[in-house]
């Protein structure tokens, strides 16, 4: 597998320094990607870079995942209009460990292969520097003129931000440049990978190596920033980022995000976010063109990435949960949902609070669903619909509108799902 060819057909190359492909063809090459540890989970915006590392390792090269512990304490000014809040060391260390666990699903860190992945934290070498030592040994090699010419600096100084730019952020490119220098010296790392907004910082690294070590054969390669076909921001939903950690985005919501992307986006994302072969993807694209209603691209994309980030079991559970919403799931499937998935599946349906004591006392369903929770406007309508098979409690049809409720009906010991007709759901919450 040729790394550059693979990224090219997948649409994952934005800018590449001349000679990068020759270096990769010449020998096993070590390359690194920086990851900002400002949270204890990656979100799907990080996945493009992570997939670059995955493809790099598949092509026989050695990936380094660099956690920006030191640079994360400062904040990268690239394409930002405001300075970010700083993070303390304890938080950074916690975030680093959480991120490594997530990366281990994409990269081989543990084998004895020569191209096994490595994780490093730039805080481990930056913490030894004094301010005087850094400006003497590193800063003197890069001119202010060179640093001022970077787009990330010029935009902040051109009046787009009222706050201007602190010296802390101005120095960021020197720190990222030194990362590359350190990894070059320590691991013979010759390639830096990143998003297109990082190009200025990345080229500072190659320039630093050239000036300090006299080495010309170091390179930078960027991927495009991912956008949606409609121009909207990729990875953002009404509730915020789509995270890889199930504490922040449940596997069901994660699966639904990919399942619901547009046809145009699915065509692009399946190349970027999966390891499927070109032939498999071409077949899926042809199937989509022949019958778009079947959505084979979205279904396969959602399957591949949910399985990769979470597990095959989580993917199966997400599919089953989706079927419950659309009328195909069983009562057993409903009862198998954890509380968060249940709430995610039925987010947005009308909810009513009811008394746990009423349910324990065996309140009649007609009283519960008309008087206590106005799911039905009248007991007559409830009785008529129930007799016709149009009312379900927890996915089980009820024929007797006056049957008693009881505690066994409670899902996760507090919810009752009522279905009126095929598509109208209501969630009762016992308190």
């Amino acid at each position: 597998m040729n790394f550059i060819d693979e990224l090219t057909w997948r649409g994952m190359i934005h800018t590449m320094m001349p000679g990068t492909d020759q270096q990769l063809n010449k020998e096993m090459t070590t390359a690194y990607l920086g990851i900002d540890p400002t949270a204890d989970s990656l979100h799907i915006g990080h996945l493009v870079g992570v997939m670059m590392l995955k493809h790099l390792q598949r092509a026989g090269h050695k990936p380094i995942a660099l956690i920006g512990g030191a640079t994360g304490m400062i904040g990268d000014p690239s394409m930002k209009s405001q300075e970010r809040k700083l993070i303390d060391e304890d938080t950074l260390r916690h975030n680093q460990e959480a991120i490594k666990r997530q990366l281990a699903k994409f990269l081989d860190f543990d084998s004895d292969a020569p191209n096994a992945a490595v994780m490093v934290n730039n805080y481990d070498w930056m913490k030894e520097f004094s301010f005087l030592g850094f400006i003497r040994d590193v800063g003197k090699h890069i001119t202010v003129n060179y640093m001022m010419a970077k787009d990330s600096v010029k935009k902040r100084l051109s009046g787009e931000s009222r706050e201007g730019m602190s010296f802390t952020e101005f120095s960021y490119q020197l720190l990222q440049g030194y990362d590359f220098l350190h990894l070059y010296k320590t691991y013979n790392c010759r390639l830096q990978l990143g998003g297109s907004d990082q190009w200025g910082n990345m080229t500072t690294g190659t320039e630093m190596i050239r000036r300090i070590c006299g080495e010309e054969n170091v390179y930078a390669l960027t991927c495009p920033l991912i956008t949606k076909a409609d121009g909207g921001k990729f990875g953002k939903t009404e509730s915020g980022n789509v995270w890889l950690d199930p504490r922040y985005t449940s596997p069901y919501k994660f699966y639904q995000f990919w399942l619901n992307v547009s046809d145009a986006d699915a065509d692009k994302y399946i190349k970027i976010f999966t390891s499927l072969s070109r032939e498999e993807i071409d077949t899926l694209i042809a199937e989509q063109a022949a019958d778009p209603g079947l959505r084979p691209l979205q279904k396969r994309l959602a399957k591949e990435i949910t399985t990769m980030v979470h597990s095959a079991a989580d993917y199966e559970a997400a599919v089953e949960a989706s079927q419950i919403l659309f009328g195909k799931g069983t009562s057993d499937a409903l009862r198998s949902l954890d509380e968060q998935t249940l709430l995610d599946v039925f987010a947005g349906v009308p909810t009513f609070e009811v008394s746990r004591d009423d349910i324990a006392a065996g309140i009649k369903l007609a009283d519960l669903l008309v008087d206590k929770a106005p799911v039905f406007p009248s007991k007559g309508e409830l009785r008529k619909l129930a007799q016709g098979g149009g009312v379900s409690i927890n996915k089980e049809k009820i024929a007797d509108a006056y049957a008693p409720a009881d505690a066994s009906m409670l899902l996760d010991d507090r919810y009752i799902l009522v279905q009126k007709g095929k598509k109208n759901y209501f969630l009762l919450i016992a308190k």
Side-chain angles (χ1 to χ4, degrees), residues 33-35 37 65-70 92 96 99 103 119-123:
L33 176 97
I35 296 172
L66 181 145
I67 298 297
L92 285 166
Q96 174 187 344
I99 289 169
L103 289 177
M119 175 175 274
V120 296
N121 187 329
N122 61 12
Y123 183 77

Side-chain angles (χ1 to χ4, degrees), residues 8 55 87 120 133 141 211 218 221 229 249 272 288 318 385 431:
T8 299
H55 292 309
I87 301 171
V120 296
H141 294 283
R211 294 187 184 189
V218 285
L221 185 158
T249 301
I272 295 172
Q288 185 96 350
L385 199 58
K431 292 193 172 181

Side-chain angles (χ1 to χ4, degrees), residues 320 324 328-335 394-395:
E320 200 163 65
I324 289 169
K328 300 176 183 176
T330 64
S331 177
D332 288 342
L334 178 66
R335 290 183 178 279
N394 299 336
K395 284 293 177 179

Side-chain angles (χ1 to χ4, degrees), residues 261-272 281 285 297 301:
V261 301
S262 69
D263 289 357
D265 286 333
D267 191 312
K268 179 169 65 172
Y269 295 167
I270 200 163
K271 297 169 186 169
I272 295 172
I281 290 175
I285 290 172
L297 277 176
L301 170 65

Side-chain angles (χ1 to χ4, degrees), residues 27 84 88 122 146 166 191-192 199 207 214 225 250 259 272-273 283 296 304 352 354 371 381 386:
E27 60 189 355
R84 289 190 316 197
D88 62 78
N122 61 12
Y146 180 87
S166 69
L191 174 62
Q192 184 178 174
W199 182 252
E207 183 69 10
L225 298 180
S250 69
L259 190 65
I272 295 172
F273 297 111
T283 299
E304 292 292 320
F352 301 102
V354 295
D371 299 333
E381 181 178 319

Side-chain angles (χ1 to χ4, degrees), residues 30 44 80 287 312 321 355:
T30 300
I44 60 174
K80 309 284 195 311
E287 290 175 3
S355 166

